[in-house]
Amino acid sequence: QVQLVQSGAEVKKPGASVKVSCKASGYTFTDSYMHWVRQAPGQGLEWLGRINPNSGATNYAKKFQGRVTVTRDTSTRTAFMELSRLRSDDTAIYYCARASYDGLDVWGQGTTVTVSS
Amino acid sequence: QAGLAQPPSVSKGLTQTATLTCTGNSNNVGNQGASWLQQHQGHPPRLLSYKNNNRPSGISERFSASRSGNTASLTITGLQPEDEADYYCSSWDSSLSARVFGGGTKLTVL
């Protein structure tokens, strides 16, 4: 079945970087964009960016440009999201999600990133 | 980054019908359509509909979506206790080249 499995929880200090992975299975990895979305505690969904796994082309939310980098490794069917210069308000659950037609139809289980000194 | 507008909360009785709204503009909902996601506490979101009224397999026919101009709607008929959740709309914004989300609507089934 189609599945996205993300890396485990992270605890980081302010100013550090975090890199979250998302391994895809059950479909052709290069056929669908991969998006990254985060959810702060008690808050709504916030889009960070996406990657075309076939070409490697990316789009980022203006708010995160310069701080977020989305990459992929087609040999391992894995997408990555790196967020730098972490602040306390970056504490959130980070999700990867596959795009299909015009919806995000498969989601990873989420990776909790805690930023604390 | 401009998001989509959703009412923060809606409350309806068991077996009643709830209609949730999502307002954007001509760069997103009006041109690209909208998708809807359901999220229960402690779980990832789940796609309910895409391209205004297409349901992924396994999604109940009690969920139907529509769009009129820049406003998308999700109608849930025969409300059940398990429908109590947060609902988010989403669209691609062609001017921002970015995906945008609504702030979410908390649906309470009384």
Side-chain angles (χ1 to χ4, degrees):
Chain A
Q1 75 282 19
V2 178
Q3 200 173 5
L4 301 175
V5 178
Q6 299 183 222
S7 48
E10 303 264 12
V11 179
K12 296 290 183 180
K13 293 195 183 303
S17 297
V18 68
K19 190 170 186 177
V20 180
S21 68
C22 170
K23 186 171 178 62
S25 60
Y27 72 100
T28 302
F29 179 64
T30 50
D31 278 356
S32 303
Y33 280 86
M34 191 72 77
H35 292 240
W36 288 89
V37 177
R38 78 178 187 180
Q39 187 169 37
Q43 302 300 308
L45 303 174
E46 184 173 34
W47 186 76
L48 286 88
R50 72 170 185 177
I51 188 166
N52 178 334
N54 188 42
S55 66
T58 53
N59 298 95
Y60 299 123
K62 192 173 182 179
K63 173 179 176 178
F64 298 103
Q65 278 179 355
R67 272 210 312 144
V68 68
T69 305
V70 177
T71 56
R72 93 293 190 214
D73 181 343
T74 56
S75 67
T76 60
R77 307 161 58 87
T78 303
F80 302 90
M81 186 284 302
E82 184 170 21
L83 188 62
S84 62
R85 303 194 299 278
L86 289 168
R87 307 185 295 253
S88 57
D89 61 358
D90 290 319
T91 293
I93 299 174
Y94 289 75
Y95 294 103
C96 60
R98 183 185 79 162
S100 180
Y101 300 99
D102 192 42
L104 301 180
D105 69 334
V106 180
W107 291 67
Q109 82 275 20
T111 296
T112 299
V113 175
T114 303
V115 183
S116 174
S117 54
Chain B
Q1 202 137 322
L4 308 176
Q6 295 184 252
S9 63
V10 168
S11 297
K12 287 288 185 180
L14 198 63
T15 72
Q16 286 189 328
T17 295
T19 298
L20 313 182
T21 60
C22 168
T23 302
N25 59 41
S26 59
N27 295 315
N28 42 61
V29 175
N31 188 294
Q32 305 289 325
S35 59
W36 287 90
L37 299 155
Q38 177 192 60
Q39 186 180 34
H40 289 107
Q41 182 74 21
H43 292 271
R46 178 175 72 143
L47 184 67
L48 294 178
S49 76
Y50 58 95
K51 279 288 190 198
N52 299 323
N53 195 22
N54 293 279
R55 278 188 304 272
S57 63
I59 300 300
S60 169
E61 292 179 351
R62 296 190 298 109
F63 295 93
S64 64
S66 62
R67 177 177 65 95
S68 176
N70 296 333
T71 297
S73 300
L74 176 72
T75 298
I76 312 169
T77 59
L79 283 169
Q80 299 298 306
E82 60 266 28
D83 297 331
E84 189 161 290
D86 294 321
Y87 292 83
Y88 295 92
C89 61
S90 180
S91 182
W92 181 258
D93 191 298
S94 55
S95 71
L96 299 173
S97 290
R99 177 157 288 273
V100 289
F101 288 97
T105 295
K106 182 175 184 60
L107 175 65
T108 300
V109 180
L110 302 171

